[in-house]
Amino acid sequence: MIGHVLAQRYELLGLLADTPVFANYSAKDQQTKRDVTIRLVQAPFRTQISFCMALAHAVKVQQAVNSPQVETITAIGQDSDVTFLVSDLTRSPTIADRIKKLAPFSIAVAVSTGITICRAVDAVHRADVVHGDLNPQNILMLGDGETKLQLAGIWEAYAASPTAGMSVLPAMAPYLAPEITKGGMPSRQSDIYAVGVVLYELLTGRKPYTGDSALAIAAEHVSTPTPSVKDFNPAVPTVLDEIIKMAMAKDPADRYESITDLMSHLRILQDSLRFGKSLAWPLSTTSAVRDTPKTAAGPAKNQPVAPRMSALRSDEDAEESRRRAREDRDIPLWMTVIASILSLGLIAVIGAFIMMNLSKPKLVTVPNIRDMSVEEARTELKRIKVDLKVSRREANEKVEQDHILEMEPPAGEKVREGERVRVVVSSGSKLVTVPDLHGQTVDKAKQVLGVLNIEPLLQVVNGVEARSDSVVLRTDPPARSQINRFGRIILIVGDQQMLQGGEPDQKPTDQNQKAPDQKTSGDPPKAQKPDPDEATNQYSTSIKVAGTDADINVTVDVTDEDGTRTIFNEARKPGERFTVRTRSKYPKVTFQIFFDGELVKTETNEAKR
């Protein structure tokens, strides 16, 4: 599906995740130029009327949630037999990704993350919506430490399908409150239970209950006592262990009354960690922080830093001191001077060594940034004061555009602050799908193809020049064919009558030629010269690749009166020289050359008359 344009508007750029109900893609909205997330409803659910109707209702309900911490599904659309959801794209990892790579988290980070999740869930509950599917896969971890919830309230559509519930159960079971397993419906209390499970997983790196199947795990939530976080992470404070146990209580009545109560306790704990205070359970929502108990002995008295020296010496001690002084003075002066110089030199060498090592940048461990977006990877490396360098870009059918394919040095190695991690970045699929442009105006077709970086060549039927009201009769290659990105297709265009009545049985004529005059005499018709305003002019620019070590990704954009398009995007060797060519019907074009995404040259060419 990568490269396909849904509803002649949303170009699918890369696969984000493939779940039993939705296939999630990053996409470009051609009308607004925004990056969006597209969720395609998978088979067989796309043909279940009850599911699709419930999904539309759930989308409408969740749009009442107004918070930057909660994803808003802005639209639900249809393309042929495919139903899809549209929301703004947030390029951030899920908490599931973070748990897999970094868990167990420190106490402070886990508490802070729990607070942000509670704040987001509170926004959902205030809109009278139950999330119903809270799990680390549906929570994004943003770069500033905040979180963002996805798919709030969509569980209602699962309940309307005879098969969706069992399809999503493996993902939901580790976070499913006992009352739901017993036949109840998701509620605010079940959301609180799920937050408790997520906190448990952040602190231990494991789920509280395991089993051979999703049903076995769900049964564990019902029958097995709530485990203690301290069993797997002894560093967890007792108060935090009790907070999680209360959130995960078997009986909903024993849990926190609201998500804000859970958030309040986490904030009290956060303050105690920040200021070194001790806490006792149960907490008071007003003031549960108390000073650290003093010892029974009371405050320690000031102690001297060294033993008190006696001011009196015996006569023997004084005589011994004088004798040693005389022996010291018997050493030749020149030996004393040399020893002093050597000592000073040794001190200088040691001092220089210490200063040199102190002035060196600190060693840091390279994190795993593979599969991250370039911007996300830059943010991750910025935290450890390391730069990111894009060595080259490679086409890849599996990894979406602008995501990391390879990194050097690899994750886990040590580098010094200020050094660079070189990466290979995916340029997306080599192929794009030719959209169905039948019946579209020429201007609209050009706009759609421009987003896909496909260059259109116009041909007209019956020798009639393309006009503003001309429409696309067909394309060559035809719609839904796969062609190379930055390639060309031919648009066969005509007027509305041809569209409605079918094309005449005549070969198309290039738009750059006028129809020959039809004469009654026996003389052959004379082909007219191309209109100079419509002539296709050829332009070129010469490029020398800078640098001395790694490959450079070279991108060339061309701008004319039809707008800007990318005509070249490849990795080239440092020092390599080559020429990039293009065509345009306009008398002037401007080339923009980028090395690793940085503009290095702008060149305007005019056609020779």
Side-chain angles (χ1 to χ4, degrees):
M1 292 293 290
I2 295 177
H4 185 74
V5 179
L6 288 175
Q8 297 184 353
R9 175 172 178 177
Y10 303 103
E11 182 198 1
L12 303 183
L13 301 178
L15 182 64
L16 299 175
D18 199 8
T19 69
V21 177
F22 299 107
N24 303 336
Y25 289 86
S26 61
K28 176 72 74 173
D29 184 340
Q30 297 173 356
Q31 290 187 8
T32 64
K33 307 302 181 185
R34 292 185 302 115
D35 292 327
V36 296
T37 297
I38 297 292
R39 290 183 173 88
L40 299 181
V41 178
Q42 304 266 40
F45 312 111
R46 66 179 61 165
T47 58
Q48 295 178 358
I49 297 177
S50 59
F51 175 84
C52 292
M53 291 179 63
L55 185 62
H57 178 264
V59 168
K60 184 178 180 180
V61 169
Q62 68 89 43
Q63 287 175 343
V65 182
N66 184 18
S67 170
Q69 284 191 268
V70 182
E71 175 196 52
T72 300
I73 298 173
T74 56
I76 181 168
Q78 193 82 21
D79 186 318
S80 300
D81 62 339
V82 178
T83 300
F84 59 92
L85 308 180
V86 184
S87 59
D88 285 338
L89 177 65
T90 302
R91 294 190 180 276
S92 294
T94 65
I95 285 187
D97 296 330
R98 283 290 183 257
I99 290 174
K100 184 177 179 181
K101 295 177 182 178
L102 303 174
F105 286 76
S106 69
I107 309 302
V109 171
V111 170
S112 175
T113 303
I115 291 172
T116 66
I117 295 173
C118 289
R119 193 184 307 126
V121 174
D122 181 47
V124 175
H125 289 180
R126 286 178 183 274
D128 203 22
V129 176
V130 172
H131 190 287
D133 190 14
L134 264 173
N135 69 72
Q137 288 286 0
N138 286 336
I139 308 174
L140 300 179
M141 178 70 82
L142 307 184
D144 57 0
E146 292 291 333
T147 56
K148 189 168 189 175
L149 302 186
Q150 297 181 306
L151 297 180
I154 300 302
W155 66 271
E156 291 188 10
Y158 304 156
S161 167
T163 55
M166 291 304 297
S167 297
V168 299
L169 182 60
M172 296 179 68
Y175 310 91
L176 211 56
E179 64 269 21
I180 298 179
T181 302
K182 294 177 180 178
M185 298 297 285
S187 65
R188 297 184 180 191
Q189 299 307 115
S190 66
D191 282 350
I192 293 172
Y193 185 92
V195 173
V197 178
V198 173
L199 281 169
Y200 185 101
E201 199 170 352
L202 288 171
L203 290 163
T204 65
R206 55 181 289 150
K207 298 174 177 64
Y209 302 107
T210 57
D212 295 333
S213 65
L215 290 175
I217 295 172
E220 289 287 306
H221 283 274
V222 175
S223 59
T224 303
T226 305
S228 171
V229 178
K230 292 177 70 66
D231 290 344
F232 300 98
N233 188 348
V236 172
T238 300
V239 168
L240 180 54
D241 187 28
E242 294 296 335
I243 289 174
I244 294 173
K245 286 180 179 177
M246 186 170 177
M248 292 178 59
K250 302 294 182 186
D251 188 344
D254 294 334
R255 293 176 208 150
Y256 286 96
E257 186 175 348
S258 69
I259 194 69
T260 55
D261 290 342
L262 170 57
M263 181 165 53
S264 177
H265 273 187
L266 290 174
R267 281 176 169 162
I268 291 171
L269 177 59
Q270 185 181 55
D271 289 341
S272 75
L273 294 171
R274 186 177 300 155
F275 299 110
K277 305 287 186 177
S278 63
L279 291 174
W281 185 262
L283 294 179
S284 167
T285 55
T286 54
S287 177
V289 180
R290 55 187 176 88
D291 293 334
T292 304
K294 295 187 174 79
T295 61
K301 295 181 179 180
N302 292 335
Q303 297 293 330
V305 296
R308 187 164 56 88
M309 302 297 292
S310 174
L312 302 177
R313 293 184 180 180
S314 66
D315 292 340
E316 292 82 0
D317 291 342
E319 180 61 28
E320 180 65 17
S321 297
R322 286 191 293 270
R323 185 182 62 78
R324 289 178 179 175
R326 284 195 301 270
E327 290 177 354
D328 290 342
R329 285 196 297 271
D330 289 340
I331 300 173
L333 181 60
W334 64 271
M335 291 183 64
T336 303
V337 173
I338 291 175
S340 299
I341 293 173
L342 291 175
S343 298
L344 291 173
L346 181 61
I347 292 172
V349 170
I350 294 173
F353 178 79
I354 293 173
M355 291 302 296
M356 181 178 65
N357 281 276
L358 287 176
S359 61
K360 277 187 178 180
K362 187 170 61 174
L363 281 172
V364 292
T365 303
V366 177
N368 186 8
I369 57 174
R370 291 190 62 174
D371 297 329
M372 291 186 182
S373 69
V374 173
E375 288 306 314
E376 181 187 341
R378 286 190 196 278
T379 301
E380 191 73 15
L381 294 177
K382 188 176 181 181
R383 293 177 181 173
I384 60 171
K385 300 180 181 179
V386 173
D387 295 329
L388 181 142
K389 170 72 173 178
V390 178
S391 297
R392 66 180 186 277
R393 294 178 181 267
E394 291 182 359
N396 192 286
E397 301 301 319
K398 295 183 178 179
V399 178
E400 70 171 300
Q401 189 174 358
D402 291 329
H403 279 60
I404 309 297
L405 293 172
E406 300 174 12
M407 56 183 293
E408 179 61 37
E413 286 201 6
K414 298 284 188 180
V415 298
R416 293 198 179 273
E417 292 179 347
E419 293 185 1
R420 286 180 172 181
V421 173
R422 297 183 178 274
V423 298
V424 179
V425 177
S426 170
S427 59
S429 173
K430 286 183 179 180
L431 302 177
V432 293
T433 303
V434 177
D436 185 1
L437 302 173
H438 180 73
Q440 296 290 325
T441 64
V442 172
D443 289 343
K444 177 64 176 178
K446 285 183 177 179
Q447 180 184 357
V448 172
L449 295 175
V451 173
L452 299 176
N453 294 308
I454 299 176
E455 183 178 353
L457 298 178
L458 301 187
Q459 287 186 342
V460 296
V461 171
N462 211 22
V464 180
E465 292 187 8
R467 301 186 304 271
S468 60
D469 60 346
S470 296
V471 293
V472 177
L473 304 177
R474 66 180 186 275
T475 61
D476 184 16
R480 305 192 184 279
S481 301
Q482 294 282 315
I483 65 171
N484 286 327
R485 194 179 292 271
F486 309 113
R488 296 176 174 178
I489 69 170
I490 298 174
L491 302 181
I492 294 91
V493 301
D495 54 29
Q496 291 286 346
Q497 292 180 349
M498 296 177 183
L499 179 67
Q500 297 170 2
E503 301 175 39
D505 187 14
Q506 185 173 345
K507 293 182 179 180
T509 304
D510 191 283
Q511 70 154 356
N512 298 325
Q513 292 184 343
K514 294 183 177 180
D517 294 333
Q518 303 297 323
K519 298 185 178 180
T520 56
S521 65
D523 296 334
K526 294 182 180 180
Q528 296 187 7
K529 295 181 180 180
D531 187 337
D533 290 336
E534 295 294 328
T536 300
N537 304 304
Q538 181 168 316
Y539 301 92
S540 65
T541 182
S542 297
I543 299 173
K544 179 182 178 182
V545 181
T548 57
D549 48 2
D551 289 355
I552 301 293
N553 189 77
V554 181
T555 304
V556 181
D557 288 352
V558 168
T559 302
D560 57 19
E561 293 183 30
D562 280 339
T564 300
R565 61 188 182 277
T566 301
I567 62 170
F568 186 88
N569 187 16
E570 293 182 9
R572 292 300 178 109
K573 300 290 184 184
E576 183 177 351
R577 294 178 180 269
F578 60 97
T579 300
V580 176
R581 295 180 173 85
T582 189
R583 292 180 178 273
S584 174
K585 66 182 180 181
Y586 297 106
K588 182 170 67 174
V589 300
T590 298
F591 291 94
Q592 289 182 309
I593 297 95
F594 300 84
F595 289 170
D596 286 339
E598 297 182 7
L599 180 64
V600 296
K601 180 181 177 183
T602 300
E603 177 184 313
T604 299
N605 289 0
E606 295 187 6
K608 296 180 180 180
R609 295 291 185 179

